[in-house]
Amino acid sequence: QVQLVESGGGLVQAGGSLRLSCAASGRTFSSYAMGWVRQAPGKEREFVAAISRSGDTTYYADSVKGRFTISRDNAKNTVYLQMNSLKPEDTAVYYCAARARPLYSGAYRYDYWGQGTQVTVSS
């Protein structure tokens, strides 16, 4: 079992940056592909980014490509989401998720989820 704890959310002005972190418990973190998914009020859950077990492959939603970067440090059991040039439409709860299956660019088929961290971008 994997427990995921996100941090780093907050309030930022449009054009600003935030870095989200997701710390995972357990000694098998490198066995999981990791993803970030977000959900805004009244909207469907939306895929943001994903990274393979080794970190050599990444996927991004078109809406964040060129602005967000996903990375991981398997020695620290942590995955990151660097968010630059933030826009008001990026406002959402951001969830970290782990998948013990091949890398996946979707918003639902994960095995473990964190509790989420709020990101609010003001205009």
Side-chain angles (χ1 to χ4, degrees), residues 37-97:
V37 173
R38 67 188 181 187
Q39 189 165 21
K43 294 190 175 182
E44 292 279 328
R45 195 175 297 181
E46 179 187 17
F47 167 75
V48 176
I51 189 166
S52 62
R53 296 176 182 87
S54 64
D56 60 355
T57 303
T58 56
Y59 293 155
Y60 294 95
D62 287 343
S63 59
V64 307
K65 205 170 290 184
R67 300 188 298 122
F68 290 10
T69 302
I70 188 171
S71 61
R72 67 189 296 162
D73 185 336
N74 286 343
K76 295 182 179 180
N77 283 11
T78 303
V79 62
Y80 305 97
L81 185 68
Q82 177 67 44
M83 305 186 295
N84 299 329
S85 302
L86 282 161
K87 304 175 181 180
E89 51 264 44
D90 294 318
T91 296
V93 177
Y94 283 70
Y95 298 91
C96 168

Side-chain angles (χ1 to χ4, degrees), residues 98-120:
R99 176 177 164 90
R101 286 168 284 172
L103 186 61
Y104 161 70
S105 60
Y108 291 92
R109 297 179 185 174
Y110 288 91
D111 301 304
Y112 302 101
W113 294 85
Q115 83 289 351
T117 186
Q118 176 70 46
V119 171
T120 303

